[in-house]
């Protein structure tokens, strides 16, 4: 049951990446749970919202960096290093 909850949370983040920046309350609402209930269940399985969030962010970053159609240059019209220099 614990791994199922973690997988359910990861899938919610993958389906709706905007949830990554909205906090525990938004995630709990998405899952149909009270925020405190979600915190308690995560604690029971030895996991946390921030840990799952970090894993999903890493996974998404890997996917996005491998997809040339989602490259930073395409979005901004400049390379990441040029953007950092501000030129």
């Amino acid at each position: 049951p614990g791994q199922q909850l973690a997988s359910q949370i990861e899938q919610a983040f993958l389906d709706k990446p905007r949830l990554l920046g909205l906090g525990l309350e938004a995630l709990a609402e998405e899952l149909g749970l009270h925020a405190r209930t979600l915190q308690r269940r995560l604690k029971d399985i030895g996991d946390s919202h921030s840990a799952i969030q970090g894993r999903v962010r890493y996974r998404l970053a890997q996917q996005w960096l491998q997809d040339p159609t989602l490259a930073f240059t395409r979005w901004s019209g400049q390379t990441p290093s040029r953007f950092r220099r501000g030129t």
Side-chain angles (χ1 to χ4, degrees), residues 3 14 18-19 21 25-26 33 35-37 39 43 46 48-52 58 62-63 65 77 79 85:
Q3 186 58 33
L14 292 170
R18 66 177 176 76
L19 286 171
E25 291 78 16
L33 297 170
R36 183 64 187 123
T37 301
Q39 271 184 320
K43 184 179 178 186
S48 70
H49 172 260
S50 61
I52 295 172
Y58 178 68
Q62 287 178 315
Q63 289 174 0
L65 287 170
T79 65
R85 287 192 309 262

Side-chain angles (χ1 to χ4, degrees), residues 50-64:
S50 61
I52 295 172
Q53 190 179 43
R55 290 193 303 264
V56 171
R57 282 183 171 152
Y58 178 68
R59 191 165 145 196
L60 285 172
Q62 287 178 315
Q63 289 174 0
W64 292 342

Side-chain angles (χ1 to χ4, degrees), residues 10-81:
E10 288 179 14
Q11 193 59 52
F13 282 143
L14 292 170
D15 290 344
K16 297 182 180 176
R18 66 177 176 76
L19 286 171
L20 289 165
L22 297 179
L24 181 79
E25 291 78 16
L27 175 62
E29 184 177 327
E30 179 70 24
L31 298 174
L33 297 170
H34 188 275
R36 183 64 187 123
T37 301
L38 179 57
Q39 271 184 320
R40 212 173 18 256
R41 289 184 182 174
L42 286 170
K43 184 179 178 186
D44 288 347
I45 64 170
D47 216 335
S48 70
H49 172 260
S50 61
I52 295 172
Q53 190 179 43
R55 290 193 303 264
V56 171
R57 282 183 171 152
Y58 178 68
R59 191 165 145 196
L60 285 172
Q62 287 178 315
Q63 289 174 0
W64 292 342
L65 287 170
Q66 290 175 353
D67 187 345
T69 64
L70 297 176
F72 182 87
T73 304
R74 182 171 178 204
W75 290 332
S76 68
Q78 55 190 334
T79 65
S81 58

